[in-house]
Amino acid sequence: MGCSGTGKSTLLHMMAGIDHPSHGTIALGDLTISSLSFHQKIEFLQKSVSIVLQQPYLISELTVLENVMLKEIISSGVTSESKDRALQLLTEIGLEGKANCLPSTLSGGQQQRVAILRAIFHVPQFLLADEPTGNLDEASGDRIINLLLHYKKKYAMGLIISTHDIKIAQRCDVILKIEHQKLF
C-alpha cells in the first residue's frame, strides 16, 4: 500500500515481468524473471503469474466469453473444455447471460470481474492486482475484493494487491507500505 506515485504499479509490473528493475533482481523461487527470454517470459506469465490492472483492458471486438478465454485462444485455441470452464466461471460471478455480449455493454464493475476471470483462467501461482478497485464505486469495489479473496482461497494461490485504500489493505493477511521509495 502507498500513496499515488510511490511505485506500487511499477513494483507489480516488475513482479509480472512487464518492466525490468534498474538494479537488483526479481525472482520467484530459483527463477530470475528479468533474465528470461521473451518466450520464457510469455510462458511464465501464462503459468505462474497473472495480473489484473486498474483498467480492465478487455478487447472490445471479442465477446465476454472470448475475453475470459483470451490466453487460451492465443496459446492453443479454444476447446470444448476451455469454453465450459469459461462459462462456469461466468456463472460463478453472475454473468452467464453476458457471455456473448461485447464488453461495451457491461458496467465498469462487470468488466473488472471479467478481467479477473481472464487472469485466473489458467490458475496462476500468484495473482497480482494493481489498484483493481481504483475506478469503481465502493459497493462494486467490495465485490471485486471479495472475488479476489474468494479465488485466492479456492485455488490456493498467492494474491498481491496494490492499493492506497486502508480498508482494502486491512482485508489482506500482510500489509507492506511503500514510502519514499522504500518497502516497509
PDB file of all heavy atoms in Angstrom, residues 6 30 43-45 49 82 84 94 103 128 130 138 141 147 159 164 167 169 174 180 183:
ATOM      1  N   THR A   6       3.974   6.309  -5.609  1.00  0.00           N
ATOM      2  CA  THR A   6       5.065   5.767  -4.788  1.00  0.00           C
ATOM      3  C   THR A   6       5.770   4.580  -5.429  1.00  0.00           C
ATOM      4  O   THR A   6       6.816   4.166  -4.944  1.00  0.00           O
ATOM      5  CB  THR A   6       4.565   5.336  -3.394  1.00  0.00           C
ATOM      6  OG1 THR A   6       3.537   4.359  -3.553  1.00  0.00           O
ATOM      7  CG2 THR A   6       4.070   6.512  -2.588  1.00  0.00           C
ATOM      8  N   ASP A  30      13.770 -20.139  -7.694  1.00  0.00           N
ATOM      9  CA  ASP A  30      15.093 -20.086  -8.333  1.00  0.00           C
ATOM     10  C   ASP A  30      15.066 -19.347  -9.665  1.00  0.00           C
ATOM     11  O   ASP A  30      16.095 -19.242 -10.330  1.00  0.00           O
ATOM     12  CB  ASP A  30      15.610 -21.506  -8.576  1.00  0.00           C
ATOM     13  CG  ASP A  30      15.880 -22.252  -7.283  1.00  0.00           C
ATOM     14  OD1 ASP A  30      16.154 -21.584  -6.260  1.00  0.00           O
ATOM     15  OD2 ASP A  30      15.808 -23.497  -7.285  1.00  0.00           O
ATOM     16  N   GLU A  43       5.694 -17.707 -21.317  1.00  0.00           N
ATOM     17  CA  GLU A  43       5.322 -18.945 -20.628  1.00  0.00           C
ATOM     18  C   GLU A  43       5.154 -18.697 -19.129  1.00  0.00           C
ATOM     19  O   GLU A  43       4.223 -19.196 -18.498  1.00  0.00           O
ATOM     20  CB  GLU A  43       6.381 -20.019 -20.873  1.00  0.00           C
ATOM     21  CG  GLU A  43       5.991 -21.362 -20.307  1.00  0.00           C
ATOM     22  CD  GLU A  43       6.994 -22.455 -20.642  1.00  0.00           C
ATOM     23  OE1 GLU A  43       7.654 -22.376 -21.688  1.00  0.00           O
ATOM     24  OE2 GLU A  43       7.091 -23.393 -19.832  1.00  0.00           O
ATOM     25  N   PHE A  44       6.064 -17.909 -18.558  1.00  0.00           N
ATOM     26  CA  PHE A  44       5.991 -17.555 -17.143  1.00  0.00           C
ATOM     27  C   PHE A  44       4.668 -16.851 -16.843  1.00  0.00           C
ATOM     28  O   PHE A  44       3.966 -17.186 -15.884  1.00  0.00           O
ATOM     29  CB  PHE A  44       7.184 -16.656 -16.782  1.00  0.00           C
ATOM     30  CG  PHE A  44       7.100 -16.022 -15.423  1.00  0.00           C
ATOM     31  CD1 PHE A  44       7.330 -16.768 -14.284  1.00  0.00           C
ATOM     32  CD2 PHE A  44       6.800 -14.675 -15.282  1.00  0.00           C
ATOM     33  CE1 PHE A  44       7.268 -16.186 -13.024  1.00  0.00           C
ATOM     34  CE2 PHE A  44       6.733 -14.082 -14.037  1.00  0.00           C
ATOM     35  CZ  PHE A  44       6.972 -14.847 -12.897  1.00  0.00           C
ATOM     36  N   LEU A  45       4.318 -15.874 -17.683  1.00  0.00           N
ATOM     37  CA  LEU A  45       3.070 -15.137 -17.480  1.00  0.00           C
ATOM     38  C   LEU A  45       1.848 -16.021 -17.707  1.00  0.00           C
ATOM     39  O   LEU A  45       0.804 -15.798 -17.109  1.00  0.00           O
ATOM     40  CB  LEU A  45       3.020 -13.907 -18.383  1.00  0.00           C
ATOM     41  CG  LEU A  45       3.951 -12.772 -17.972  1.00  0.00           C
ATOM     42  CD1 LEU A  45       3.984 -11.689 -19.046  1.00  0.00           C
ATOM     43  CD2 LEU A  45       3.549 -12.193 -16.638  1.00  0.00           C
ATOM     44  N   VAL A  49       2.299 -16.344 -13.060  1.00  0.00           N
ATOM     45  CA  VAL A  49       1.835 -15.051 -12.558  1.00  0.00           C
ATOM     46  C   VAL A  49       0.825 -14.467 -13.533  1.00  0.00           C
ATOM     47  O   VAL A  49       0.987 -14.563 -14.745  1.00  0.00           O
ATOM     48  CB  VAL A  49       3.025 -14.069 -12.398  1.00  0.00           C
ATOM     49  CG1 VAL A  49       2.543 -12.691 -12.022  1.00  0.00           C
ATOM     50  CG2 VAL A  49       4.006 -14.583 -11.362  1.00  0.00           C
ATOM     51  N   SER A  82     -12.245 -25.742 -22.482  1.00  0.00           N
ATOM     52  CA  SER A  82     -11.943 -24.359 -22.106  1.00  0.00           C
ATOM     53  C   SER A  82     -13.197 -23.499 -22.165  1.00  0.00           C
ATOM     54  O   SER A  82     -13.398 -22.628 -21.314  1.00  0.00           O
ATOM     55  CB  SER A  82     -10.821 -23.775 -22.974  1.00  0.00           C
ATOM     56  OG  SER A  82     -11.177 -23.735 -24.332  1.00  0.00           O
ATOM     57  N   ASP A  84     -16.261 -24.593 -21.657  1.00  0.00           N
ATOM     58  CA  ASP A  84     -17.060 -24.976 -20.490  1.00  0.00           C
ATOM     59  C   ASP A  84     -16.516 -24.317 -19.221  1.00  0.00           C
ATOM     60  O   ASP A  84     -17.284 -23.850 -18.383  1.00  0.00           O
ATOM     61  CB  ASP A  84     -17.077 -26.496 -20.314  1.00  0.00           C
ATOM     62  CG  ASP A  84     -17.905 -27.201 -21.370  1.00  0.00           C
ATOM     63  OD1 ASP A  84     -18.695 -26.543 -22.080  1.00  0.00           O
ATOM     64  OD2 ASP A  84     -17.748 -28.438 -21.491  1.00  0.00           O
ATOM     65  N   GLY A  94     -22.138 -14.523 -11.838  1.00  0.00           N
ATOM     66  CA  GLY A  94     -23.438 -13.991 -12.227  1.00  0.00           C
ATOM     67  C   GLY A  94     -23.475 -13.308 -13.581  1.00  0.00           C
ATOM     68  O   GLY A  94     -24.369 -12.502 -13.838  1.00  0.00           O
ATOM     69  N   PRO A 103     -17.863  -6.272 -24.464  1.00  0.00           N
ATOM     70  CA  PRO A 103     -17.542  -5.597 -23.201  1.00  0.00           C
ATOM     71  C   PRO A 103     -18.198  -4.234 -23.024  1.00  0.00           C
ATOM     72  O   PRO A 103     -18.497  -3.829 -21.901  1.00  0.00           O
ATOM     73  CB  PRO A 103     -16.020  -5.468 -23.261  1.00  0.00           C
ATOM     74  CG  PRO A 103     -15.578  -6.551 -24.170  1.00  0.00           C
ATOM     75  CD  PRO A 103     -16.675  -6.696 -25.184  1.00  0.00           C
ATOM     76  N   LEU A 128      -1.568 -10.893  -9.266  1.00  0.00           N
ATOM     77  CA  LEU A 128      -1.216  -9.527  -8.900  1.00  0.00           C
ATOM     78  C   LEU A 128      -2.379  -8.635  -9.291  1.00  0.00           C
ATOM     79  O   LEU A 128      -2.866  -8.716 -10.415  1.00  0.00           O
ATOM     80  CB  LEU A 128       0.054  -9.094  -9.635  1.00  0.00           C
ATOM     81  CG  LEU A 128       1.254 -10.038  -9.527  1.00  0.00           C
ATOM     82  CD1 LEU A 128       2.394  -9.544 -10.404  1.00  0.00           C
ATOM     83  CD2 LEU A 128       1.686 -10.216  -8.092  1.00  0.00           C
ATOM     84  N   ASP A 130      -3.404  -4.690  -9.442  1.00  0.00           N
ATOM     85  CA  ASP A 130      -2.899  -3.328  -9.362  1.00  0.00           C
ATOM     86  C   ASP A 130      -4.057  -2.340  -9.272  1.00  0.00           C
ATOM     87  O   ASP A 130      -4.691  -2.030 -10.274  1.00  0.00           O
ATOM     88  CB  ASP A 130      -2.025  -3.038 -10.583  1.00  0.00           C
ATOM     89  CG  ASP A 130      -1.328  -1.701 -10.506  1.00  0.00           C
ATOM     90  OD1 ASP A 130      -1.324  -1.085  -9.418  1.00  0.00           O
ATOM     91  OD2 ASP A 130      -0.789  -1.264 -11.536  1.00  0.00           O
ATOM     92  N   GLU A 138     -17.769   2.232  -4.202  1.00  0.00           N
ATOM     93  CA  GLU A 138     -17.435   1.404  -3.039  1.00  0.00           C
ATOM     94  C   GLU A 138     -18.079   0.021  -3.087  1.00  0.00           C
ATOM     95  O   GLU A 138     -17.418  -0.981  -2.811  1.00  0.00           O
ATOM     96  CB  GLU A 138     -17.839   2.125  -1.746  1.00  0.00           C
ATOM     97  CG  GLU A 138     -17.329   1.432  -0.509  1.00  0.00           C
ATOM     98  CD  GLU A 138     -17.589   2.220   0.765  1.00  0.00           C
ATOM     99  OE1 GLU A 138     -17.865   3.425   0.693  1.00  0.00           O
ATOM    100  OE2 GLU A 138     -17.495   1.601   1.848  1.00  0.00           O
ATOM    101  N   GLY A 141     -16.386  -2.019  -5.732  1.00  0.00           N
ATOM    102  CA  GLY A 141     -15.045  -2.309  -5.236  1.00  0.00           C
ATOM    103  C   GLY A 141     -15.042  -3.436  -4.216  1.00  0.00           C
ATOM    104  O   GLY A 141     -14.176  -4.321  -4.257  1.00  0.00           O
ATOM    105  N   LEU A 147     -14.252 -11.099  -4.585  1.00  0.00           N
ATOM    106  CA  LEU A 147     -13.980 -12.052  -5.654  1.00  0.00           C
ATOM    107  C   LEU A 147     -12.503 -12.456  -5.655  1.00  0.00           C
ATOM    108  O   LEU A 147     -12.175 -13.642  -5.752  1.00  0.00           O
ATOM    109  CB  LEU A 147     -14.378 -11.447  -7.006  1.00  0.00           C
ATOM    110  CG  LEU A 147     -14.335 -12.362  -8.210  1.00  0.00           C
ATOM    111  CD1 LEU A 147     -15.323 -13.520  -8.068  1.00  0.00           C
ATOM    112  CD2 LEU A 147     -14.662 -11.566  -9.478  1.00  0.00           C
ATOM    113  N   LEU A 159      -1.864 -13.910  -3.588  1.00  0.00           N
ATOM    114  CA  LEU A 159      -2.557 -12.714  -4.070  1.00  0.00           C
ATOM    115  C   LEU A 159      -1.844 -11.494  -3.513  1.00  0.00           C
ATOM    116  O   LEU A 159      -1.656 -11.371  -2.299  1.00  0.00           O
ATOM    117  CB  LEU A 159      -4.020 -12.715  -3.608  1.00  0.00           C
ATOM    118  CG  LEU A 159      -4.832 -11.459  -3.882  1.00  0.00           C
ATOM    119  CD1 LEU A 159      -4.968 -11.205  -5.383  1.00  0.00           C
ATOM    120  CD2 LEU A 159      -6.219 -11.569  -3.236  1.00  0.00           C
ATOM    121  N   HIS A 164      -4.166   2.151  -2.279  1.00  0.00           N
ATOM    122  CA  HIS A 164      -3.940   3.259  -1.362  1.00  0.00           C
ATOM    123  C   HIS A 164      -5.062   3.289  -0.322  1.00  0.00           C
ATOM    124  O   HIS A 164      -5.078   4.128   0.565  1.00  0.00           O
ATOM    125  CB  HIS A 164      -3.867   4.595  -2.124  1.00  0.00           C
ATOM    126  CG  HIS A 164      -5.116   4.907  -2.871  1.00  0.00           C
ATOM    127  ND1 HIS A 164      -5.330   4.485  -4.156  1.00  0.00           N
ATOM    128  CD2 HIS A 164      -6.231   5.564  -2.499  1.00  0.00           C
ATOM    129  CE1 HIS A 164      -6.534   4.889  -4.540  1.00  0.00           C
ATOM    130  NE2 HIS A 164      -7.096   5.537  -3.560  1.00  0.00           N
ATOM    131  N   LYS A 167      -8.927   0.371   3.907  1.00  0.00           N
ATOM    132  CA  LYS A 167      -9.969  -0.644   4.110  1.00  0.00           C
ATOM    133  C   LYS A 167      -9.665  -1.911   3.315  1.00  0.00           C
ATOM    134  O   LYS A 167      -9.902  -3.017   3.788  1.00  0.00           O
ATOM    135  CB  LYS A 167     -11.341  -0.094   3.703  1.00  0.00           C
ATOM    136  CG  LYS A 167     -11.869   0.975   4.615  1.00  0.00           C
ATOM    137  CD  LYS A 167     -13.206   1.487   4.109  1.00  0.00           C
ATOM    138  CE  LYS A 167     -13.650   2.716   4.877  1.00  0.00           C
ATOM    139  NZ  LYS A 167     -14.882   3.276   4.311  1.00  0.00           N
ATOM    140  N   ALA A 169      -6.560  -2.799   2.267  1.00  0.00           N
ATOM    141  CA  ALA A 169      -5.335  -3.357   2.842  1.00  0.00           C
ATOM    142  C   ALA A 169      -5.631  -4.169   4.098  1.00  0.00           C
ATOM    143  O   ALA A 169      -5.044  -5.231   4.312  1.00  0.00           O
ATOM    144  CB  ALA A 169      -4.351  -2.234   3.138  1.00  0.00           C
ATOM    145  N   VAL A 174      -1.164  -9.668   5.087  1.00  0.00           N
ATOM    146  CA  VAL A 174       0.048  -8.901   5.377  1.00  0.00           C
ATOM    147  C   VAL A 174      -0.078  -7.552   4.678  1.00  0.00           C
ATOM    148  O   VAL A 174      -0.534  -7.490   3.539  1.00  0.00           O
ATOM    149  CB  VAL A 174       1.307  -9.631   4.853  1.00  0.00           C
ATOM    150  CG1 VAL A 174       2.554  -8.784   5.050  1.00  0.00           C
ATOM    151  CG2 VAL A 174       1.466 -10.989   5.524  1.00  0.00           C
ATOM    152  N   HIS A 180       8.666   6.802   0.349  1.00  0.00           N
ATOM    153  CA  HIS A 180       9.978   7.344  -0.003  1.00  0.00           C
ATOM    154  C   HIS A 180      10.854   6.305  -0.706  1.00  0.00           C
ATOM    155  O   HIS A 180      12.019   6.122  -0.355  1.00  0.00           O
ATOM    156  CB  HIS A 180      10.698   7.926   1.206  1.00  0.00           C
ATOM    157  CG  HIS A 180       9.849   8.883   2.001  1.00  0.00           C
ATOM    158  ND1 HIS A 180       9.457  10.117   1.500  1.00  0.00           N
ATOM    159  CD2 HIS A 180       9.287   8.769   3.222  1.00  0.00           C
ATOM    160  CE1 HIS A 180       8.699  10.722   2.397  1.00  0.00           C
ATOM    161  NE2 HIS A 180       8.581   9.935   3.453  1.00  0.00           N
ATOM    162  N   LEU A 183      10.289  -0.104   0.839  1.00  0.00           N
ATOM    163  CA  LEU A 183       9.220  -1.040   1.184  1.00  0.00           C
ATOM    164  C   LEU A 183       9.354  -1.407   2.657  1.00  0.00           C
ATOM    165  O   LEU A 183      10.418  -1.843   3.114  1.00  0.00           O
ATOM    166  CB  LEU A 183       9.333  -2.284   0.311  1.00  0.00           C
ATOM    167  CG  LEU A 183       8.231  -3.310   0.383  1.00  0.00           C
ATOM    168  CD1 LEU A 183       6.902  -2.719  -0.074  1.00  0.00           C
ATOM    169  CD2 LEU A 183       8.588  -4.523  -0.471  1.00  0.00           C
TER     170      LEU A 183
END
